[in-house]
Amino acid sequence: MKNFALKISLVASMVYSFALADGLFTGIESDYSFQSNLKVKYNNAGDTGIIKYKKAQAGIGLKAGYDFDRYRVYSSYIYDFQASKDMSYDPDYTVKWLTHKFILGADYTPSITDNFKLAVGPYGGYSRLKVKINDITGYSDKDSKNGWLIGAKIGGIYSFDKNNELEFGFKADKTNYGKMTEFDSEEFNADNVKEINYGLYLGYNYKF
């Protein structure tokens, strides 16, 4: 029993020491996609085609990770605010969409100057897309779909001091959601739905 308690105490102290390590960081991030490009490939009763909905989209999120000096790993949650676009076949109908993204990433962060680092690396994760269709009469139809995303970014990290840093750059990602078949609208009962985003990001990190 004493040995078991000793092991538990040792593990707890190691976890506590890790939590207080110099490289641990947490932060907030906002992004702006120049185009949330929603690509819908449909095949209904032999009628096939591809429709694209493009709209700028902003997002905000939280992240946490560990900085090993020349590289770092992190996880983040990003909420992309709702974007909307008139349907291609009938402007009386509007398509609205938003996403919840759960991301894991790794960056190569070599020092350029004493206070500035490059940040470049891939990221990937899970995204949940929510789509809603409205018309001028008040009709509403909605569906959601999960997909896997993959992306990459390049930017910089500017340190004000040992605890506070500003991060900024450019990123792009792509998500494949597969079929969406719950809509009354034939245009969105699709064989495949994909989303592509690219734009700028800005964030603040606090290093422990």
Side-chain angles (χ1 to χ4, degrees):
M1 190 67 181
K2 287 183 179 180
N3 289 336
F4 178 76
L6 183 60
K7 290 178 181 179
I8 293 296
S9 299
L10 181 60
V11 171
S13 64
M14 290 175 65
V15 171
Y16 181 75
S17 297
F18 177 79
L20 294 179
D22 291 340
L24 189 70
F25 70 89
T26 185
I28 58 175
E29 182 178 304
S30 61
D31 59 39
Y32 182 81
S33 175
F34 301 129
Q35 286 187 352
S36 175
N37 186 342
L38 204 62
K39 183 178 179 181
V40 180
K41 181 180 180 181
Y42 65 90
N43 184 353
N44 291 298
D47 183 19
T48 62
I50 295 176
I51 302 171
K52 295 180 180 180
Y53 295 97
K54 300 178 181 180
K55 193 64 178 287
Q57 189 177 36
I60 191 167
L62 302 171
K63 65 179 176 180
Y66 196 89
D67 190 338
F68 296 92
D69 189 26
R70 292 183 63 84
Y71 67 95
R72 66 177 183 173
V73 293
Y74 65 91
S75 62
S76 64
Y77 162 74
I78 302 293
Y79 173 78
D80 286 326
F81 294 101
Q82 182 173 270
S84 64
K85 192 77 173 180
D86 290 342
M87 269 195 165
S88 59
Y89 74 91
D90 190 343
D92 289 340
Y93 286 81
T94 302
V95 180
K96 300 180 179 181
W97 68 96
L98 60 84
T99 56
H100 300 269
K101 296 178 180 178
F102 303 87
I103 292 169
L104 293 174
D107 292 333
Y108 175 55
T109 57
S111 295
I112 306 301
T113 67
D114 289 342
N115 293 347
F116 184 76
K117 288 184 174 184
L118 180 68
V120 57
Y123 60 88
Y126 163 90
S127 180
R128 183 168 181 81
L129 171 71
K130 293 187 175 183
V131 179
K132 187 176 183 180
I133 299 174
N134 297 94
D135 70 6
I136 58 175
T137 67
Y139 164 83
S140 178
D141 195 8
K142 59 184 178 180
D143 193 10
S144 60
K145 193 71 175 181
N146 304 326
W148 297 103
L149 71 87
I150 186 169
K153 67 178 183 179
I154 181 169
I157 303 171
Y158 180 80
S159 299
F160 296 100
D161 52 42
K162 67 177 183 179
N163 298 116
N164 299 280
E165 59 186 24
L166 187 69
E167 183 177 353
F168 53 89
F170 177 86
K171 66 179 182 178
D173 55 60
K174 179 179 180 179
T175 310
N176 189 345
Y177 295 102
K179 292 184 177 181
M180 296 190 81
T181 58
E182 298 301 318
F183 287 103
D184 293 335
S185 167
E186 291 185 354
E187 183 169 330
F188 245 95
N189 280 329
D191 282 348
N192 196 11
V193 177
K194 295 180 180 179
E195 184 183 20
I196 297 173
N197 287 279
Y198 59 89
L200 304 176
Y201 72 92
L202 175 67
Y204 163 79
N205 301 323
Y206 180 81
K207 298 179 70 174
F208 292 92

